[in-house]
C-alpha cells in the first residue's frame, strides 16, 4: 500500500513539471461525482465547507471557497445546493467575487455490494464574467469567478463492490450569460499572450468519464486514486472588435487528469477530504479560464 | 428543506452586492499639436442612457491614427466602451476598447486596418447592457 501511495504522489510531482491544464467546468467536483463513500443514513442533513487552490495560466493563483448543503429526502432521493466563490490573483491584479450556484438532485439505487447514483441539476452563474482590475480593464476568464453560463448537468456514478467507481456526466450550457469584454491587445505585457480574447465568449459542452478505485487503509480512512477524462465537445467562440463571431481553433478536445483523494471519517461522522489533481494531457487552447496546472482541495463535512 | 430554501433565498444578496464601474480618475492625455494633422472632429451629445460632454478629434501622426476625447466627461456605467460606429445605435461598428476614464482628455489608437472614414459616429457605449451613453457625429 505504501508503494501505491508513494507512486501516486511521485507521479503528481513529476507531471506538474510539464502539465498545462485541467478543465473542470463544475461537474467534476459535484455531489456523487466527487464524494468519497456514502452519506451516513443516520443523519438527514449535511453541510460541507471547502477550499480549492489551483495554479492557472501565467501563474494565476485561484482560491475557490465553497459551501454546500445537502438533505436526504427519503431513502433514495437527496438534494444538494452548492455556492462557490473565487479569489484570483496574478500579474493583472487580484479579484474576489461570488461564482456559481449549483442545485442538484440525486437518486440512489443501492444493493448490498453495489451503489448507483443518478444526478441531475443546474448551474446558475452569479456573475457575468466581466470583472475588471483596479485600472478598470477587463480581466481574462482565468480571473473570473464564473464563466457566465447556465448549465444542465446530468451524470451517473456507479460503485462496484464498494471499490471500483465509474462516473459519466455531461455539462451543457443551456443559456450563455457571459458578458466578458476581454481583449488581449488591451494590455502590453507579453504574458497576456498566455490568454485568449473572450469578448462575449460562447462555450460548448463537456462530457466526463472517471474511473477510481477505493482503498480502505484503516478504520475511517479511505484513499481513491482516479483517472478523469474530459472531452470538450466543440470549438468555443468570441466576438471580435466588429461584433463578428470568431471560432477559437484548438479549444475543443480531450483533457486527461489524474486525481488522488484521501478521506478520513471522524466520530459523529464528520469527514475531512483532501484531493490533489493534475493533468496528463490537455487541450491545445484553453480560453475558458478553467485551466489549472494542478489543483488541491480540502473539504470538511458535518452531518446533522 | 427549510435550510435549503433559506440558502437559496440568500443568494441574490450575494450577487447583488457588487457594482461594476468605469475608472473615474482625471486623465490628461494629449497629442503634440505640432506633430499631428487633424482629420476629423465632432461634439458629444447625450445618448438615451447617459450624459456625455466633450469633443472628439481624429489626428494622424506619421503612420498612426489617433482618436482623442478632449474636455471629456461622462456619467458612469458598468461597462463603458468607445466605439466607432456607422449608426447612432451600433450595428456596424469597431470597438476601440474600454473607456479609460469618465473624466479628462484621453487618446485611443485607431488600428491601421480600420478606415475611420467608414464611421460617422463615435459612441460611448455600455456593452454589457447595450446602452448608448453619448454620441458624437464626426465631420471630416
Amino acid at each position: 500500500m505504501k508503494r501505491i501511495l508513494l507512486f501516486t504522489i511521485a507521479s503528481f510531482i513529476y507531471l506538474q513539471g510539464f502539465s498545462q491544464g485541467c478543465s473542470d467546468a463544475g461537474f467534476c467536483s459535484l455531489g456523487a461525482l466527487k464524494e468519497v463513500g456514502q452519506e451516513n443514513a443516520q443523519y438527514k442533513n449535511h453541510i460541507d465547507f471547502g477550499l480549492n487552490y489551483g495554479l492557472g495560466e501565467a501563474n494565476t493563483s485561484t482560491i475557490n471557497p465553497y459551501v454546500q448543503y445537502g438533505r436526504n429526502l427519503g431513502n433514495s432521493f437527496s438534494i444538494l445546493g452548492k455556492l462557490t466563490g473565487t479569489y484570483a490573483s496574478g500579474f493583472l491584479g487580484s479579484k474576489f467575487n461570488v461564482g456559481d450556484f449549483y442545485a442538484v438532485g440525486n437518486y440512489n439505487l443501492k444493493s448490498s455490494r453495489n451503489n448507483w447514483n443518478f444526478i441531475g441539476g443546474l448551474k446558475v452563474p452569479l456573475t457575468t464574467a466581466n470583472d475588471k482590475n483596479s485600472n478598470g480593464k477587463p480581466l481574462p476568464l482565468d480571473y473570473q469567478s464564473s464563466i457566465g453560463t447556465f448549465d444542465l448537468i446530468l451524470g451517473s456514478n456507479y460503485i462496484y463492490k464498494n471499490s471500483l467507481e465509474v462516473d459519466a456526466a455531461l455539462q451543457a450550457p443551456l443559456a450563455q450569460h457571459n458578458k466578458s469584454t476581454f481583449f488581449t491587445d488591451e494590455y502590453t505585457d507579453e504574458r497576456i499572450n498566455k490568454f485568449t480574447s473572450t469578448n462575449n465568449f460562447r462555450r460548448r459542452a463537456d462530457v466526463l468519464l472517471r474511473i477510481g478505485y477505493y482503498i480502505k487503509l484503516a478504520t475511517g480512512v479511505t484513499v481513491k486514486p482516479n483517472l478523469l477524462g474530459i472531452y470538450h465537445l466543440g470549438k468555443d467562440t468570441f466576438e471580435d472588435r466588429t461584433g463578428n463571431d470568431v471560432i477559437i481553433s484548438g479549444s475543443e478536445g480531450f483533457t486527461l487528469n489524474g486525481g488522488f483523494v484521501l478521506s478520513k471519517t471522524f466520530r459523529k461522522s464528520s469527514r475531512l477530504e483532501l484531493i490533489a489533481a493534475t493533468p496528463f494531457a490537455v487541450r491545445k487552447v484553453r480560453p475558458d479560464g478553467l485551466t489549472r496546472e494542478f489543483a488541491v482541495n480540502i473539504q470538511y463535512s458535518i452531518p446533522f | 428543506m427549510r435550510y435549503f430554501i433559506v440558502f437559496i433565498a440568500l443568494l441574490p444578496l450575494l450577487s447583488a452586492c457588487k457594482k461594476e464601474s468605469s475608472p473615474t480618475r482625471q486623465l490628461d492625455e494629449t497629442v503634440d499639436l505640432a506633430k499631428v494633422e487633424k482629420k476629423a472632429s465632432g461634439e458629444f451629445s447625450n445618448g438615451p442612457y447617459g450624459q456625455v460632454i466633450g469633443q472628439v478629434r481624429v489626428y494622424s501622426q506619421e503612420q498612426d491614427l489617433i482618436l482623442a476625447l478632449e474636455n471629456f466627461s461622462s456619467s458612469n456605467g458598468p461597462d463603458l466602451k468607445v466605439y466607432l460606429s456607422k449608426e447612432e445605435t451600433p450595428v456596424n461598428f469597431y470597438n476601440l476598447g474600454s473607456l479609460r476614464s469618465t473624466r479628462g482628455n484621453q487618446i485611443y489608437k485607431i488600428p491601421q486596418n480600420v478606415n475611420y472614414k467608414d464611421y460617422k459616429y463615435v459612441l460611448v457605449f455600455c456593452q454589457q447592457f447595450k446602452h448608448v451613453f453619448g454620441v458624437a457625429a464626426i465631420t471630416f
Side-chain angles (χ1 to χ4, degrees), chain A residues 45 67-71 73 79-83 95-98 101-104 126-132 134-138 179-181 183 185-186 199-200 239-243 304, chain B residues 1-5 7-8 10-12 14-18 20-23 25 77-84 91-101 111 114 119 127-130:
Chain A
N45 307 285
V67 58
Q68 58 187 22
Y69 168 72
R71 181 175 173 85
L73 304 173
I79 53 173
L80 179 80
K82 179 179 181 181
L83 177 67
K95 202 76 193 177
F96 175 79
N97 208 345
V98 292
F101 176 70
Y102 297 84
V104 183
L126 300 175
T127 78
T128 56
N130 194 18
D131 280 342
K132 319 284 198 308
S134 56
N135 295 321
K137 286 189 176 181
K179 300 283 177 85
S180 166
T181 59
F183 285 105
D185 58 9
E186 282 205 30
N199 182 56
N200 286 329
E239 280 184 14
D240 68 11
R241 290 189 179 276
T242 61
F304 58 98
Chain B
M1 182 55 80
R2 191 171 64 237
Y3 294 109
F4 196 74
I5 292 168
F7 188 60
I8 291 174
L10 289 173
L11 286 176
L14 287 167
S15 56
C17 66
K18 281 193 61 68
E20 295 160 329
S21 61
S22 297
R25 67 188 180 280
D79 198 27
L80 298 182
K81 308 291 175 189
V82 178
Y83 276 25
L84 297 173
V91 177
N92 300 286
F93 59 85
Y94 189 88
N95 176 354
L96 287 175
S98 302
L99 185 71
R100 295 160 63 82
S101 176
V114 175
Y119 300 95
Q127 184 176 322
Q128 184 162 335
F129 296 101
K130 301 189 188 310

Side-chain angles (χ1 to χ4, degrees), chain A residues 249-265:
Chain A
S249 297
S251 58
E252 80 287 12
F254 188 62
T255 307
L256 180 66
N257 307 286
F260 186 80
V261 185
L262 171 65
S263 171
K264 163 71 178 165
T265 303

